[in-house]
């Protein structure tokens, strides 16, 4: 297990975990219940953390998350080969490996 992301909110952690698991990376969210049901975060309370199961996937997971943060959805590129949406800064499709348009 390796930590790849410290999220400001549980929603952020969930989005990151969803993005990684959709790419076949097994994740766990730690401190998921720390924020409370209504989203009130008491001072100094632990933030949600995203961990990957397989240490060997940690580097790739961080790369993917960095890509997500740097590329808002409106900048996404649609793969011409398979139609999959990719973060705007990706050079090739994560799904099929095809080249993405600039
Ligand atoms: Zn593709």
């Amino acid at each position: 297990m390796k930590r790849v992301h410290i999220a400001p909110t549980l929603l952020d952690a969930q989005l990151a975990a969803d993005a990684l698991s959709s790419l076949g990376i097994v994740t766990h969210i730690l401190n998921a219940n720390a924020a409370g049901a209504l989203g009130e975060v008491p001072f100094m309370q632990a933030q949600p953390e995203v961990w990957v199961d397989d240490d060997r996937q940690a580097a790739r997971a961080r790369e993917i998350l960095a890509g997500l943060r740097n590329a808002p959805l409106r900048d996404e590129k649609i793969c011409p080969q398979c139609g999959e949406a990719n973060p705007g800064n990706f050079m090739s499709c994560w799904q099929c490996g095809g080249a993405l348009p600039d």
Side-chain angles (χ1 to χ4, degrees), residues 79 81-84 86 93 95-98:
C79 175
Q81 276 89 326
C82 71
E84 190 61 43
N86 288 267
C93 176
Q95 171 127 303
C96 71

Side-chain angles (χ1 to χ4, degrees), residues 71-83:
L73 284 180
R74 63 178 177 277
D75 291 335
E76 72 185 5
K77 294 178 184 174
I78 305 299
C79 175
Q81 276 89 326
C82 71

